[in-house]
């Protein structure tokens, strides 16, 4: 067996030890004689798996007691609709900050349910920086303020937390959740699809302050009514059981490695290997403003685009996959989530140096 370095933006690489444990437990979980996939979601085995996953996530993020943790389906894109359905609470407008492709999707979807005030946009600068809060035009009557904490495609990340006063702050953290400590109390709601930093696709985590629940738009489907799901331990319908189990193993892996402070140190060290080289090279470049560079998704360009295909082929031959940038940005993108070991980034930079020496 040989494993590649998988730089995919998502679904993305998972810790090898988690996959090994899942493999070992595949046919018989803890003497139950069943795979987790085959268990009733209401049986005592799965209830324990579910409770353990929630408790580990609460511990890792130090989630305050007045926040609910929901394990749902529908992806982060589903949340683009479910957030306004649940959080408008009688109001008619919401503020959105537009920092890239994922913010744009959130804005477009929200417009079906409310009037959207784009409080700030980085579009004029081609989404290569985060607009500073001094430039935001927030509406004090907005139901909430929505941000995307890490733009997976453009590679810009908030390294600060906006202050929205009494208006709840909502963040799509799909691609940087659990990459560093977060003060959950600064947010009204956090959501994330699991397939970047937490586990397999199919699971969406929502962390929401409990006073925001219980006043949904009448059209809201009951499985996407946060209050109903919170009252039913996220089991109003059959939850994505296997994805929850794997996410629980990933949470355990993060805890064993020292929690989120340790993750952040590891992620900073990894990203520095790549950014330092990009900055020192005239053959490659990073399009993103230094202060706003993502530690998770690193887009970069070759000066000569005609070499893009040769670069990707050479990387693939060395077992480094999924480095092609998103079509809206072009060039390359290395996604270096928690589970990417520093050896993967070092191997990538070694290859980049060699490619530059041959073609520069
Ligand atoms: C991947 C991603 C999404 C989409 O998630 P789905 O699970 O496909 O709905 C949304 N937002 C961000 C920031 C992402 O990285």
């Amino acid at each position: 067996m040989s494993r590649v370095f998988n730089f995919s933006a998502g679904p993305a690489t998972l810790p090898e030890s988690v996959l090994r444990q899942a493999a070992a437990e595949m046919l018989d979980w803890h003497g139950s004689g069943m795979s987790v996939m085959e268990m009733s979601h209401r049986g005592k085995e799965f209830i324990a798996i579910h409770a353990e996953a929630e408790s580990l996530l609460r511990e890792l993020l130090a989630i305050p007691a007045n926040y609910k943790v929901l394990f749902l389906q529908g992806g982060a894109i589903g949340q683009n609709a479910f957030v306004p359905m649940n959080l408008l609470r009688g109001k008619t407008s919401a503020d959105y900050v537009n920092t890239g492709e994922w913010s744009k999707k959130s804005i477009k979807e929200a417009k079906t349910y409310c009037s959207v005030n784009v409080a700030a946009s980085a579009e004029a600068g081609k989404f290569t920086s985060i607009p500073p809060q001094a430039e935001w035009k927030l509406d004090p009557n907005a139901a909430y303020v929505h941000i995307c904490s890490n733009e997976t495609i453009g590679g810009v990340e908030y390294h600060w937390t906006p202050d929205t006063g009494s208006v709840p702050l909502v963040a799509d953290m799909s691609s940087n959740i659990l990459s560093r400590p977060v003060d959950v109390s600064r947010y009204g709601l956090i959501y994330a699809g699991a397939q970047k930093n937490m586990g397999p696709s199919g699971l969406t985590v929502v962390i929401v302050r409990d006073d925001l629940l219980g006043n949904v738009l009448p059209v809201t489907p009951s499985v996407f009514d946060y209050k109903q799901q919170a009252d039913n331990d996220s089991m109003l319908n059959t939850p994505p059981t296997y994805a929850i189990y794997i996410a629980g193993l990933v949470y355990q892996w993060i805890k064993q490695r020292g929690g989120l402070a340790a993750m952040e140190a590891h992620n900073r060290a990894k990203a520095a290997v790549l950014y330092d080289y990009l900055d020192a090279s005239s053959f490659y470049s990073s399009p993103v403003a230094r202060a706003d560079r993502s530690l998770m998704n690193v887009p970069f360009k070759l000066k000569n685009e005609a070499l893009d295909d040769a670069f990707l082929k050479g990387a693939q031959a060395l077992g480094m996959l999924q480095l092609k940038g998103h079509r809206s940005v072009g060039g390359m993108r290395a996604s270096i989530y928690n589970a990417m070991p520093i050896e993967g980034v070092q191997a990538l930079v070694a290859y980049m140096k060699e490619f530059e020496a041959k073609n520069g």
Side-chain angles (χ1 to χ4, degrees):
M1 186 203 70
S2 78
R3 301 236 331 136
V4 298
F5 288 125
N6 175 6
F7 292 94
S8 170
T13 191
L14 286 168
E16 189 170 312
S17 62
V18 165
L19 297 176
R20 284 184 189 283
Q21 184 175 346
E25 295 175 346
M26 175 60 78
L27 297 183
D28 177 8
W29 182 83
H30 295 203
S32 65
M34 282 182 277
S35 168
V36 174
M37 270 184 247
E38 303 168 300
M39 289 174 181
S40 164
H41 58 296
R42 307 210 184 272
K44 67 176 189 329
E45 292 91 352
F46 184 75
I47 300 265
I49 290 169
H50 190 275
E52 168 82 352
E54 176 175 338
S55 134
L56 283 165
L57 184 61
R58 283 187 175 278
E59 184 183 339
L60 289 172
L61 279 166
I63 299 175
N66 62 325
Y67 283 70
K68 303 289 187 190
V69 172
L70 308 176
F71 291 138
L72 305 178
Q73 296 175 70
I77 292 179
Q79 293 307 318
N80 287 340
F82 311 139
V83 163
M85 284 178 168
N86 280 271
L87 290 199
L88 282 170
R89 296 165 293 130
K91 298 194 177 235
T92 55
S93 79
D95 286 347
Y96 279 71
V97 177
N98 184 7
T99 49
E101 297 301 320
W102 289 113
S103 309
K104 280 205 289 195
K105 275 210 166 79
S106 300
I107 289 167
K108 186 164 178 242
E109 189 84 15
K111 282 181 175 166
T112 307
Y113 306 97
C114 61
S115 82
V116 169
N117 169 45
V118 178
S121 173
E123 189 150 24
K126 298 204 169 132
F127 297 123
T128 52
S129 65
I130 304 276
Q133 185 165 350
E135 291 172 12
W136 296 13
K137 298 201 164 49
L138 296 174
D139 170 6
N141 293 314
Y144 57 87
V145 180
H146 181 282
I147 63 166
C148 176
S149 61
N150 183 70
E151 288 279 359
T152 320
I153 292 173
V156 295
E157 179 172 11
Y158 284 80
H159 296 291
W160 48 281
T161 310
D163 180 359
T164 55
S166 60
V167 179
L169 178 62
V170 173
D172 176 357
M173 289 197 187
S174 294
S175 52
N176 70 346
I177 194 164
L178 303 181
S179 67
R180 54 179 156 109
V182 165
D183 181 355
V184 173
S185 72
R186 302 280 301 273
Y187 297 83
L189 185 148
I190 291 167
Y191 65 91
Q195 70 272 24
K196 282 46 185 274
N197 235 354
M198 288 195 285
S201 61
L203 167 65
T204 315
V205 172
V206 172
I207 301 164
V208 57
R209 212 174 64 212
D210 58 10
D211 64 288
L212 300 174
L213 302 182
N215 186 357
V216 299
L217 292 186
V219 295
T220 310
S222 51
V223 290
F224 296 119
D225 176 333
Y226 300 145
K227 172 91 169 46
Q228 290 196 50
Q229 284 287 20
D231 289 347
N232 287 278
D233 289 327
S234 306
M235 294 215 200
L236 202 63
N237 63 323
T238 311
T241 52
Y242 199 75
I244 291 169
Y245 157 69
I246 299 287
L249 297 184
V250 171
Y251 301 156
Q252 192 68 58
W253 175 83
I254 294 173
K255 182 177 168 176
Q256 283 160 359
R257 299 197 43 163
L260 297 188
M263 278 294 133
E264 176 172 14
H266 173 66
N267 287 326
R268 283 194 184 282
K270 274 181 346 197
V273 171
L274 188 46
Y275 284 119
D276 287 351
Y277 176 60
L278 289 171
D279 288 340
S281 159
S282 54
F283 187 81
Y284 305 96
S285 63
S286 156
V288 178
R290 272 173 200 251
D292 303 322
R293 287 174 174 176
S294 170
L295 299 184
M296 297 283 100
N297 309 96
V298 184
F300 62 92
K301 296 208 170 180
L302 278 63
K303 205 176 188 177
N304 179 0
E305 278 175 35
L307 292 172
D308 281 4
D309 284 346
F311 179 89
L312 288 166
K313 257 199 196 140
Q316 178 146 5
L318 294 172
M320 289 181 276
L321 268 54
Q322 304 280 353
L323 284 162
K324 194 175 165 66
H326 189 269
R327 61 189 181 281
S328 66
V329 178
M332 307 297 149
R333 171 178 51 173
S335 294
I336 52 174
Y337 298 117
N338 284 350
M340 172 60 67
I342 195 159
E343 290 77 15
V345 183
Q346 287 162 341
L348 173 62
V349 168
Y351 166 67
M352 289 168 72
K353 280 184 186 158
E354 190 191 300
F355 189 86
E356 175 173 358
K358 269 197 202 132
N359 300 282

